C-alpha cells in the first residue's frame, strides 16, 4: 500500500512537471515587490512589520502598503491596519470600506449579490483598470460567448478573436466558515493594493484581469463570530462560548451545499460565478498551517471533471507553492491528503461549470489574538510535497495569516493575468467539450419519464438542475431509444449498474464502455423531461444524476466526505441515463420557465381525494388547511375513476376554490367527488411539532429545520435544557424530533459540557447583538440531564411521538426508549456517506404510506439494529459463532451429534428469524415472562436494508453483510405513544427528499401508528 501510494504521488509530480514544461504558459517575468518609485504609507507599513511576528512570515508583496492621496486605506474603517491584534470587523464595516473604495477609485465597483436567510447583504467587489471597469459589461458579453460556444457555432477561429479582446475574471470568496476570521481584513487590504499600487507587478494584474471579491460568504455567522470575539475581549481569562450557530440553519456544512443549493449563500455565489462567466472560484479557509493550497489535492479526483481541469490544478498549484517557497515562507504546500472526489464544496461550483476550483487553507487563530501555537508532528513533519514545513512552535498573529493569504493570492492573480489568454482558451475548450459530451464520452441525455408516479419530486429535481444553469427540455411526443441490456452484478455487495430511480440505466460496468453488450429498446411517453448533455453545463447534471462507486480497496483511506450523492435515487425520482445519441433527435421543446408539476381539482363534490405518492407537497397541503378535516385511507381503493394508494388523503371542510389554488401552486392532482370512498380511514391531524437540539452541536439538525421551513411545516425549536425543565411536554407537543447531533456518546447528550469554569452564554445583549434569535441560553454547558430523560419518556408514555435518527437512535436505545431494540457494534463495516437500497417490510404501517419497495436511503455508518422480544435482549440468532451451523461433534456438518450410552433424543426445532426480525420466543422464555415484551408493545420494522448483493446503490460499501437485511426504520410502541428509530438519516444536506415523507407520515399519523399492525400470537 505504501509503495503504491508513493508511486502514485511520484507519478503526479512527474506529470505536473511535464505539464509545466510542455504547456503554453508563461512564467511571470516582472519581479514581485514594490517599485522604488511608488510612495508607501510609512505609518501603515511600520504597523505591518510590527504585527508580523517573524520576517519570514511576510513577503515582498505584502511588507509595504502603497500610499494614495485619494484612496483611503483599511485603517479608515478599522482604526488600525488589516490584521491588527484585537480587531475583527463586522460585515457592515467591511462593506463600508469596500464602498468607500468604490467612491474614491474608478478602478473599483461594488455589486450587491443577494441576501442571507436573516436578511444580511452579500456583495461582490470588482477591481481592475479604469478601462476594464468602464467596459465590464462588454467584457461579460464576450465571456458569455466563450461560456456557451453554441452562440458562435463552436467556431474555434471566432473564439480566438473573442479571446484576444477579453480579460478573464478571477473570483475570490472569504469566510464561509465563520470561526476562520482572517479573510475579510486580508481582502480589504488586497482590494486596496489592486486599486492603488502602481508597481509593475500589480499593474499587470489590474490591466489584464478582473478580480472579483466576496469578502464574506457566511455573513450571518461572521457577525455572530465578531460578537463572540468581543465577548472574549470583555471577559479576559474566561472560556468563551463556541459558535453553535453560524448561519440560520447549518454551520461547517454550509460548504457542502454546492449541489443542493439549499442555502442563500450558495445560490448567491453560484449566480455570481455563472453570471460573470468567471474562470476561477478561489475559496479562502483557515485551518492548516501555514498555507495549504488545496488546488492540487489528492486522489481520487472527481470522475466527471474535464481532464483539462486536472492539468490546470497542477499547473496553478505547484507554481503558487514554488513562488512562495522562493520568498522563504515556511509551511506552504499543495497535494496533501484531501481527496478531490465530492463536488459539494463551494469552490466546486467552478469545477462543475467549466471553471477552475481553488481553495486555500491558511492558519487562523479563531480571532485576532496573537498567540503562541504548537503544532502536532503530522503538521510540522517534512514530506515529499511539504519540503519546507511549518515550525513546530511559533508566535502567530492575524497579520501573519493576512500576509500569507495576500501573498498567495497576488502570485495567483499575477500568474493568471500573465497567462490570461491561455486560461480563456481552456475555458472555451472545456465549455465546448461539455457540449460535445454526447459524441465523446456520453451520456447523450438523462430522461425523466413522463409517467413517474411522483411528478412533484421529479419537478423538484428538475428545478434544482435549472438553478444550476442546466437547460431542460420536454418531449412533445413519445420517443424510443436503444438501451444496453441489464447484466448480472460484477461485484459482491453491490447492485448492478443502473439508472437512478427505476433501474433502467446505460448498463455501464466501469470499464470505459469497452465491453460489447446486448441491447434493448425503451419508449418514453410524451411529457417526459430530457436533460440534454450537449449543453455548456452538462457536467454538473452528469455529476449529480450518475451513480458513484468508491472501491473499498481504494488507496485513499482518509476519506474527507460523502462518497455518493445520486440525486435521482435519493429523491425517489425516476431518472434514466441514456447513451443513445438518437435521444437528442426526439421531438422536444425547451422549458422556458421553472419546471412545475401540474395541479388542479377535477370533478365535483365536497369530498376531495388526493393520491398519496410521498410527494413532499402533501405535507404542505395538510398544514395549509390545518383546521380542515383530513383522513387517511388505510387500504388502497378506487374512486372517481382513479386508483388511490394506501394513505391517500380524504379531505372535507375546504372550499373548492381554495383547494384549487393550492393544488395549482403545489402541483397536486385532487379529485372531487360527492361521496366518501368505501375504505376504512383515520384522521390525520396537523400535529404540534417540536425539533429538539442540544447545545453541543446544531449542525446536523439544521438540515431538518431548513426543509421543515421550506415545506411550511410549523414547529417549535426547543433545546434539551427546555425539555429538562418541562414535565408537561404533551400539553404543547404531539411530536418531538430529536435529529442527529453528531455525537456518538449518548451520555454526553445527558451530561452536556463539563461544568468547569465559567458559564457560556448565548444570548442577545448590547455587547453581543447578533447572538440569540435562533435560540438563547444563559449557559450552554448543561445538557438534557436525567430530568430531561424522564420528561421525554413521560412524553412518549402519555401518547407523544419521539422521532430519532442516526446517532440519536443510540441515545434512545441506551436510555430505555426502545424496548426490544439493541445496537450492534460494527467490525469492518464502512459506509462513508453512501446510498443504500432498502426493502419494504410492513407496507401497512402509516410510516410507509405512499412508498413502494426498494427505496434508496442515505447511510453514513448508521447503527446496526437487532431486535428481541424481551427487554434487555440483544437480538440476533441463537447459534454458534458466525460461519458454523452446528457445535463440534460426530458426523457431517448437517448431522446431529449423538451423546454416548443413551438412545438418540428427538431434537426440538430451532427457532429461526430473519436479520430484521426478533427470534421467536421459546416455551422456556414464556414460562415466567417477566422480561417478555407483550405483542402490542414489540418493535415494528417498517423498512430494512436490502440483501448484501443488492445493498449498494452508490458510493462506498465495505463489509456490507454486517448491516444487510437488518432493520432500517423501526416503530417502537411506548405505552400510549411511540418512538421511531431511523438507522439512515432521512434529512441530509437537502439531498434526500425521497425519504422525507417517512418522517412526515409519522407526524401526520402520530396517534394512529398502530394501524395495519399484525400481532404475534405469543
Amino acid at each position: 500500500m505504501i509503495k503504491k501510494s508513493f508511486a502514485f504521488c511520484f507519478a503526479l509530480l512527474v506529470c505536473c512537471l511535464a505539464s509545466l514544461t510542455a504547456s503554453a504558459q508563461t512564467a511571470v517575468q516582472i519581479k514581485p515587490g514594490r517599485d522604488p518609485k511608488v510612495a508607501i504609507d510609512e505609518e501603515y507599513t511600520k504597523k505591518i512589520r510590527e504585527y508580523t511576528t517573524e520576517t519570514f512570515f511576510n513577503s515582498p508583496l505584502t511588507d509595504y502598503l502603497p500610499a494614495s492621496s485619494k484612496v483611503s486605506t483599511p485603517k479608515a474603517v478599522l482604526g488600525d491596519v488589516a490584521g491588527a491584534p484585537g480587531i475583527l470587523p463586522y460585515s457592515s464595516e467591511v462593506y463600508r470600506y469596500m464602498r468607500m473604495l468604490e467612491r474614491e477609485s474608478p478602478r473599483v465597483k461594488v455589486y450587491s449579490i443577494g441576501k442571507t436567510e436573516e436578511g444580511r447583504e452579500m456583495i461582490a467587489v470588482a477591481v481592475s483598470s479604469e478601462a476594464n471597469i468602464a467596459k465590464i459589461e462588454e467584457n461579460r458579453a464576450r465571456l458569455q460567448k466563450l461560456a456557451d460556444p453554441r452562440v458562435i457555432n463552436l467556431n474555434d477561429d471566432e473564439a480566438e478573436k473573442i479571446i484576444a479582446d477579453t480579460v478573464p475574471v478571477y473570483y475570490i470568496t472569504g469566510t464561509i466558515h465563520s470561526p476562520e476570521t482572517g479573510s475579510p481584513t486580508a481582502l480589504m487590504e488586497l482590494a486596496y493594493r489592486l486599486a492603488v499600487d502602481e508597481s509593475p507587478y500589480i499593474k499587470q494584474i489590474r490591466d489584464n484581469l478582473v478580480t472579483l471579491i466576496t469578502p464574506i460568504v457566511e455573513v450571518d455567522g461572521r457577525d455572530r463570530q465578531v460578537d463572540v470575539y468581543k465577548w472574549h475581549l470583555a471577559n479576559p481569562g474566561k472560556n468563551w462560548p463556541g459558535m453553535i450557530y453560524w448561519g440560520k440553519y447549518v454551520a461547517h456544512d454550509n460548504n457542502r451545499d454546492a449541489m443542493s443549493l439549499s442555502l442563500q449563500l450558495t445560490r448567491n455565489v453560484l449566480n455570481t460565478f455563472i453570471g460573470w462567466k468567471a474562470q476561477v472560484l478561489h475559496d479562502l479557509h483557515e485551518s492548516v498551517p501555514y498555507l495549504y493550497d488545496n488546488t492540487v489535492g489528492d486522489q481520487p479526483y472527481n470522475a466527471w471533471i474535464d481532464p483539462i481541469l486536472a492539468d490546470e490544478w497542477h499547473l496553478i498549484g505547484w507554481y503558487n507553492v514554488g513562488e512562495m517557497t522562493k520568498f522563504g515562507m515556511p509551511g506552504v504546500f499543495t497535494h496533501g491528503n484531501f481527496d478531490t472526489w465530492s463536488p459539494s464544496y463551494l469552490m466546486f461550483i467552478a469545477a462543475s461549470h467549466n471553471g477552475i476550483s481553488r481553495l486555500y487553507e491558511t492558519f487562523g487563530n479563531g480571532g485576532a489574538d496573537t498567540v503562541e501555537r504548537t503544532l502536532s508532528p503530522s503538521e510540522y513533519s517534512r514530506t515529499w510535497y511539504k519540503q519546507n514545513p511549518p515550525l513546530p512552535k511559533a508566535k502567530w498573529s492575524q497579520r501573519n495569516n493576512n500576509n500569507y493569504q495576500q501573498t498567495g493570492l497576488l502570485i495567483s492573480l499575477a500568474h493568471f493575468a500573465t497567462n490570461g489568454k491561455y486560461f480563456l482558451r481552456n475555458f472555451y475548450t472545456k465549455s465546448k467539450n461539455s457540449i460535445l459530451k454526447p459524441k465523446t464520452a456520453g451520456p447523450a441525455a438523462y430522461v425523466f419519464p413522463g409517467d413517474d408516479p411522483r411528478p412533484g419530486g421529479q419537478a423538484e429535481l428538475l428545478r434544482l438542475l435549472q438553478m444550476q444553469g442546466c437547460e431542460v427540455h420536454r418531449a412533445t411526443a413519445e420517443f424510443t431509444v436503444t438501451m444496453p441490456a441489464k447484466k448480472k452484478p460484477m461485484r459482491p455487495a453491490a447492485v448492478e449498474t443502473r439508472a437512478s430511480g427505476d433501474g433502467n440505466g446505460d448498463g455501464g460496468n466501469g470499464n470505459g464502455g469497452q465491453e460489447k453488450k446486448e441491447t434493448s429498446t425503451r419508449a418514453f411517453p410524451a411529457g417526459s423531461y430530457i436533460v440534454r448533455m450537449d449543453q455548456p453545463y452538462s457536467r454538473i447534471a452528469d455529476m449529480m444524476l450518475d451513480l458513484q462507486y468508491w472501491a473499498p480497496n481504494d488507496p485513499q483511506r482518509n476519506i474527507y466526505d460523502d462518497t455518493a450523492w445520486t440525486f435521482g435515487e435519493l429523491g425517489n425520482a425516476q431518472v434514466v441515463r441514456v447513451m443513445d445519441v438518437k435521444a437528442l433527435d426526439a421531438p422536444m421543446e425547451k422549458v422556458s420557465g421553472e419546471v412545475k408539476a401540474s395541479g388542479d381539482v377535477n370533478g365535483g363534490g365536497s369530498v376531495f381525494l388526493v393520491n398519496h405518492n410521498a410527494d413532499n407537497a402533501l405535507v404542505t397541503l395538510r398544514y395549509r388547511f390545518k383546521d380542515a378535516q383530513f383522513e387517511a385511507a388505510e387500504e388502497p381503493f378506487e374512486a372517481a375513476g382513479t386508483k388511490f394508494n394506501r394513505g391517500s388523503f380524504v379531505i372535507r371542510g375546504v372550499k373548492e376554490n381554495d383547494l384549487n389554488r393550492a393544488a395549482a401552486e403545489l402541483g397536486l392532482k385532487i379529485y372531487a367527488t360527492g361521496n366518501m370512498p368505501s375504505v376504512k380511514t383515520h384522521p390525520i391531524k396537523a400535529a404540534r411539532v417540536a425539533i429538539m437540539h442540544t447545545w453541543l452541536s446544531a449542525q446536523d439538525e439544521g438540515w431538518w429545520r431548513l426543509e421543515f421551513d421550506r415545506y411550511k411545516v410549523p414547529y417549535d425549536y426547543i433545546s434539551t435544557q427546555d425539555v429538562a425543565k418541562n414535565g408537561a411536554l404533551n400539553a404543547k407537543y404531539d411530536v418531538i424530533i430529536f435529529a442527529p447531533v453528531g455525537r456518538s456518546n449518548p451520555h454526553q447528550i445527558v451530561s452536556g459540557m463539563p461544568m468547569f469554569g465559567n458559564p457560556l452564554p448565548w444570548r442577545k445583549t448590547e455587547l453581543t447583538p447578533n447572538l440569540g434569535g435562533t435560540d438563547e441560553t444563559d449557559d450552554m454547558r448543561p445538557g438534557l440531564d436525567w430530568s430531561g430523560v424522564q420528561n421525554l419518556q413521560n412524553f412518549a408514555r402519555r401518547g407523544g411521538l419521539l422521532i430519532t435518527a442516526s446517532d440519536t437512535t443510540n441515545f434512545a436505545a441506551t436510555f430505555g426508549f426502545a424496548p426490544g431494540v439493541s445496537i450492534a457494534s460494527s467490525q469492518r463495516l464502512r459506509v462513508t456517506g453512501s446510498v443504500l437500497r432498502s426493502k419494504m417490510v410492513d407496507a401497512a404501517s402509516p410510516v410507509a404510506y405512499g412508498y413502494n419497495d426498494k427505496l434508496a436511503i442515505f447511510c453514513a455508518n448508521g447503527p446496526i439494529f437487532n431486535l428481541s422480544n424481551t427487554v434487555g435482549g440483544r437480538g440476533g440468532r441463537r447459534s454458534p459463532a458466525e460461519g458454523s451451523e452446528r457445535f463440534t461433534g460426530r458426523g457431517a456438518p448437517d448431522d446431529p451429534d449423538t451423546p454416548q450410552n443413551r438412545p438418540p433424543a428427538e431434537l426440538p426445532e430451532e427457532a429461526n428469524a430473519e436479520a430484521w426480525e426478533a427470534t421467536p420466543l421459546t416455551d422456556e422464555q414464556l414460562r415466567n415472562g417477566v422480561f417478555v415484551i407483550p405483542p402490542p408493545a414489540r418493535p415494528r420494522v417498517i423498512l430494512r436494508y436490502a440483501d448484501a448483493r443488492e445493498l449498494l446503490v452508490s458510493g462506498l460499501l465495505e463489509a456490507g453483510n454486517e448491516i444487510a437485511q437488518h432493520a432500517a426504520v423501526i416503530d417502537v410502541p411506548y405505552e400510549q405513544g411511540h418512538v421511531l428509530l431511523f438507522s439512515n438519516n432521512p434529512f441530509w444536506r437537502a439531498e434526500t427528499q425521497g425519504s422525507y415523507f417517512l418522517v412526515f407520515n409519522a407526524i401526520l399519523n402520530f396517534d394512529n401508528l398502530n394501524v395495519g399492525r399484525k400481532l404475534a400470537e405469543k
Side-chain angles (χ1 to χ4, degrees):
M1 180 70 74
I2 294 174
K3 289 182 178 179
K4 186 176 180 181
S5 179
F6 179 81
F8 176 81
C9 296
F10 182 77
L12 278 180
L13 183 58
V14 170
C15 290
C16 171
L17 294 174
S19 297
L20 281 168
T21 303
S23 74
Q25 293 204 37
T26 304
V28 179
Q29 301 298 318
I30 302 170
K31 182 179 179 181
R34 174 195 166 214
D35 185 333
K37 299 176 184 177
V38 173
I40 65 171
D41 185 318
E42 297 284 357
E43 182 184 0
Y44 198 107
T45 299
K46 182 179 179 181
K47 286 291 186 180
I48 289 175
R49 294 171 181 173
E50 176 185 341
Y51 298 147
T52 301
T53 61
E54 296 285 356
T55 55
F56 48 73
F57 291 150
N58 211 340
S59 76
L61 292 172
T62 54
D63 65 356
Y64 74 96
L65 195 80
S68 173
S69 59
K70 298 179 180 178
V71 181
S72 303
T73 72
K75 184 180 178 181
V77 169
L78 300 176
D80 205 336
V81 307
I87 296 177
L88 281 187
Y90 284 108
S91 61
S92 59
E93 297 172 287
V94 177
Y95 294 176
R96 180 155 57 91
Y97 178 69
M98 293 302 195
R99 289 192 162 104
M100 186 183 294
L101 278 182
E102 180 184 36
R103 289 194 302 272
E104 296 174 353
S105 172
R107 299 169 177 173
V108 180
K109 191 167 180 62
V110 178
Y111 299 82
S112 183
I113 63 171
K115 297 289 183 74
T116 69
E117 282 82 1
E118 296 181 359
R120 293 179 178 87
E121 184 186 24
M122 291 178 65
I123 66 170
V125 182
V127 188
S128 194
S129 67
E130 294 96 322
N132 288 339
I133 291 292
K135 297 181 178 180
I136 209 158
E137 293 306 322
E138 291 94 323
N139 192 71
R140 194 198 307 241
R142 289 191 293 271
L143 286 171
Q144 169 63 38
K145 296 177 181 178
L146 300 179
D148 186 358
R150 295 174 300 180
V151 176
I152 57 173
N153 298 315
L154 278 64
N155 188 312
D156 295 350
D157 294 334
E158 183 65 24
E160 286 297 327
K161 295 176 185 177
I162 295 169
I163 290 168
D165 296 330
T166 304
V167 294
V169 176
Y170 196 109
Y171 188 21
I172 303 167
T173 55
T175 312
I176 186 173
H177 284 168
S178 304
E180 299 170 1
T181 55
S183 296
T185 51
L187 294 173
M188 290 165 71
E189 190 173 283
L190 178 71
Y192 173 86
R193 292 179 186 278
L194 292 173
V196 167
D197 200 339
E198 295 297 336
S199 298
Y201 192 88
I202 304 299
K203 189 175 184 301
Q204 65 101 15
I205 296 174
R206 191 165 57 235
D207 291 344
N208 296 288
L209 192 66
V210 174
T211 303
L212 194 64
I213 300 170
T214 291
I216 305 170
V217 173
E218 178 52 273
V219 188
D220 299 333
R222 171 64 182 192
D223 287 353
R224 280 192 261 276
Q225 178 65 54
V226 175
D227 277 2
V228 169
Y229 185 67
K230 289 184 179 296
W231 189 95
H232 158 65
L233 293 178
N235 293 272
K238 292 185 177 182
N239 298 322
W240 58 88
M243 281 286 289
I244 182 76
Y245 298 105
W246 299 9
K248 181 177 180 180
Y249 295 111
V250 295
H252 180 273
D253 276 10
N254 59 9
N255 193 33
R256 302 295 186 275
D257 190 47
M259 290 185 288
S260 295
L261 304 179
S262 62
L263 304 175
Q264 286 292 115
L265 64 85
T266 321
R267 293 195 288 270
N268 293 339
V269 170
L270 169 73
N271 292 336
T272 303
F273 181 83
I274 64 176
W276 280 79
K277 308 304 175 189
Q279 283 62 63
V280 181
L281 176 54
H282 193 152
D283 197 27
L284 303 183
H285 292 251
E286 303 167 41
S287 67
V288 178
Y290 295 128
L291 189 151
Y292 170 36
D293 188 340
N294 179 249
T295 302
V296 173
D298 196 6
Q299 64 176 325
Y301 277 10
N302 180 278
W304 296 266
I305 63 167
D306 192 307
I308 294 172
L309 173 59
D311 295 339
E312 291 172 320
W313 282 339
H314 284 267
L315 290 166
I316 293 170
W318 290 110
Y319 179 86
N320 202 165
V321 171
E323 292 300 296
M324 293 187 73
T325 301
K326 291 175 188 176
F327 290 152
M329 302 178 79
V332 180
F333 66 101
T334 190
H335 190 273
N337 59 7
F338 178 94
D339 68 76
T340 313
W341 175 251
S342 172
S344 62
Y345 310 108
L346 186 77
M347 65 167 179
F348 229 84
I349 285 172
S352 60
H353 292 80
N354 302 322
I356 303 170
S357 56
R358 297 199 65 192
L359 185 147
Y360 280 171
E361 291 280 6
T362 54
F363 201 35
N365 284 340
D369 292 357
T370 299
V371 295
E372 188 173 85
R373 300 292 299 274
T374 301
L375 306 185
S376 67
S378 65
E379 291 174 311
Y380 64 71
S381 295
R382 185 179 61 83
T383 67
W384 73 266
Y385 56 80
K386 194 192 300 183
Q387 291 292 331
N388 185 10
L391 305 179
K393 183 181 290 188
K395 189 177 183 182
W396 193 256
S397 66
Q398 183 175 235
R399 183 65 221 185
N400 293 355
N401 186 30
N402 281 187
N403 293 339
Y404 270 76
Q405 290 175 306
Q406 289 186 74
T407 299
L409 287 169
L410 287 168
I411 289 170
S412 296
L413 294 172
H415 182 228
F416 212 85
T418 301
N419 295 281
K421 306 308 177 188
Y422 172 86
F423 287 114
L424 283 173
R425 194 171 294 113
N426 280 358
F427 177 65
Y428 161 74
T429 304
K430 288 182 291 185
S431 301
K432 180 180 172 182
N433 288 346
S434 294
I435 294 166
L436 295 174
K437 192 172 178 61
K439 298 179 181 179
T440 55
Y446 284 91
V447 179
F448 292 65
D451 53 3
D452 191 322
R454 295 186 66 251
Q458 180 187 78
E460 272 193 279
L461 179 49
L462 287 165
R463 285 197 297 272
L464 175 57
L465 292 170
Q466 288 180 311
M467 290 170 62
Q468 289 282 5
C470 297
E471 300 165 355
V472 177
H473 289 74
R474 196 170 194 186
T476 56
E478 180 181 274
F479 65 98
T480 302
V481 298
T482 300
M483 303 288 294
K486 294 182 182 180
K487 58 184 181 59
K488 294 180 179 180
M490 295 186 63
R491 54 184 181 266
V495 293
E496 60 189 284
T497 305
R498 50 195 261 120
S500 53
D502 69 346
N504 293 291
D506 66 281
N509 62 0
N511 66 355
Q514 300 303 311
E515 181 183 336
K516 187 176 180 180
K517 308 183 189 74
E518 296 180 0
T519 60
S520 61
T521 59
R522 176 164 178 179
F524 294 98
S528 296
Y529 290 98
I530 303 166
V531 179
R532 303 171 62 103
M533 292 291 102
D534 57 349
Q535 58 173 301
Y537 297 148
S538 62
R539 208 164 296 280
I540 180 61
D542 202 13
M543 285 182 192
M544 292 172 60
L545 299 176
D546 205 355
L547 296 170
Q548 295 78 46
Y549 179 70
W550 186 298
N553 62 350
D554 191 281
Q556 176 60 268
R557 306 303 290 179
N558 300 312
I559 304 174
Y560 196 79
D561 206 76
D562 293 344
T563 59
W565 49 84
T566 308
F567 274 73
E569 290 282 2
L570 289 174
N572 196 20
Q574 295 180 10
V575 183
V576 183
R577 189 175 192 262
V578 176
M579 291 293 292
D580 187 357
V581 293
K582 292 181 180 178
L584 303 179
D585 298 328
M588 66 181 78
E589 55 188 21
K590 184 178 176 181
V591 179
S592 57
E594 279 191 345
V595 174
K596 291 193 68 175
S598 62
D600 55 18
V601 176
N602 291 310
S606 59
V607 177
F608 303 96
L609 309 176
V610 189
N611 185 44
H612 197 325
N613 59 1
D615 264 345
N616 294 317
L618 291 171
V619 75
T620 309
L621 181 74
R622 178 63 192 98
Y623 277 95
R624 178 168 297 187
F625 299 103
K626 60 185 180 63
D627 296 325
Q629 184 177 349
F630 278 61
E631 296 173 69
E634 296 181 4
E635 295 293 338
F637 66 95
E638 290 190 30
T642 304
K643 293 183 178 180
F644 292 86
N645 296 327
R646 183 185 281 115
S648 293
F649 291 1
V650 180
I651 307 171
R652 288 177 290 176
V654 181
K655 294 179 180 178
E656 183 173 341
N657 287 341
D658 294 340
L659 203 55
N660 199 41
R661 281 194 296 271
E665 179 187 335
L666 300 175
L668 295 173
K669 290 288 186 182
I670 301 178
Y671 300 85
T673 182
N675 301 302
M676 286 286 291
S678 55
V679 64
K680 187 178 180 181
T681 64
H682 64 258
I684 47 176
K685 301 173 183 176
R688 303 167 301 165
V689 179
I691 296 179
M692 181 177 72
H693 71 93
T694 71
W695 286 100
L696 298 168
S697 172
Q699 166 67 47
D700 291 348
E701 55 85 8
W703 297 114
W704 293 59
R705 288 189 288 118
L706 183 149
E707 295 297 67
F708 272 57
D709 284 345
R710 183 155 75 100
Y711 293 109
K712 296 180 173 55
V713 179
Y715 61 91
D716 283 355
Y717 188 52
I718 61 176
S719 76
T720 49
Q721 294 178 3
D722 297 325
V723 171
K725 300 171 186 174
N726 188 346
L729 293 167
N730 301 79
K732 296 184 68 175
Y733 308 118
D734 303 309
V735 181
I736 295 178
I737 295 170
F738 194 13
V741 175
R743 292 291 189 275
S744 59
N745 184 354
H747 293 276
Q748 194 175 8
I749 293 170
V750 177
S751 63
M753 302 179 201
M755 296 300 289
F756 316 132
N758 54 276
L760 302 175
W762 188 272
R763 186 173 294 282
K764 182 175 182 179
T765 66
E766 186 175 346
L767 179 64
T768 57
N770 300 290
L771 302 189
T774 308
D775 201 2
E776 297 187 343
T777 182
D778 291 324
D779 189 359
M780 296 168 61
R781 296 175 301 164
L784 180 64
D785 203 11
W786 296 113
S787 62
V789 173
Q790 184 174 12
N791 290 341
L792 273 182
Q793 289 176 336
N794 288 337
F795 166 76
R797 287 191 179 104
R798 296 165 184 166
L801 169 63
L802 175 65
I803 299 177
T804 63
S806 194
D807 60 355
T808 57
T809 63
N810 192 14
F811 162 84
T814 299
F815 294 115
F817 289 83
V821 178
S822 61
I823 295 176
S825 298
S826 63
Q827 303 303 311
R828 294 180 49 248
L829 177 68
R830 278 204 305 161
V831 191
T832 310
S834 301
V835 185
L836 303 184
R837 183 72 62 207
S838 71
K839 296 281 289 182
M840 185 68 69
V841 175
D842 191 343
S845 165
V847 176
Y849 284 169
Y851 284 98
N852 296 316
D853 203 7
K854 298 185 178 181
L855 175 69
I857 56 178
F858 175 84
C859 182
N861 288 323
I864 303 171
F865 294 140
N866 282 328
L867 270 68
S868 172
N869 288 326
T870 60
V871 174
R874 303 302 296 174
R877 296 172 177 81
R878 302 189 324 166
S879 62
E882 183 178 354
S884 174
E885 297 181 359
R886 54 160 288 187
F887 291 95
T888 302
R890 66 147 300 278
D894 52 358
D895 285 337
D897 191 25
T898 304
Q900 300 301 305
N901 299 330
R902 75 180 201 195
E906 183 178 349
L907 299 179
E909 185 177 345
E910 185 72 20
N912 289 313
E914 301 290 352
W916 64 89
E917 297 175 329
T919 303
L921 294 165
T922 66
D923 292 338
E924 287 296 310
Q925 289 173 306
L926 291 168
R927 285 184 64 227
N928 184 25
V930 174
F931 292 95
V932 172
I933 303 171
R938 291 176 188 168
R940 180 184 189 182
V941 176
I942 299 158
L943 294 181
R944 67 169 176 90
Y945 289 103
D947 300 348
R949 292 190 65 85
E950 298 177 341
L951 185 55
L952 178 63
V953 176
S954 197
L956 168 65
L957 176 63
E958 184 174 12
N961 59 296
E962 292 187 24
I963 200 169
Q965 298 188 335
H966 282 261
V969 182
I970 306 175
D971 171 21
V972 184
Y974 200 75
E975 295 190 14
Q976 297 177 53
H978 290 259
V979 177
L980 192 62
L981 310 175
F982 285 90
S983 174
N984 63 305
N985 187 348
F987 285 78
W988 180 244
R989 294 180 177 172
E991 296 176 6
T992 59
Q993 281 88 347
S995 58
Y996 289 178
F997 227 99
L998 294 170
V999 175
F1000 293 150
N1001 272 333
I1003 291 171
L1004 296 179
N1005 297 275
F1006 77 95
D1007 54 350
N1008 282 283
L1009 290 178
N1010 286 328
V1011 165
R1013 183 185 180 106
K1014 295 179 180 179
L1015 301 180
E1017 294 181 2
K1018 61 178 183 179

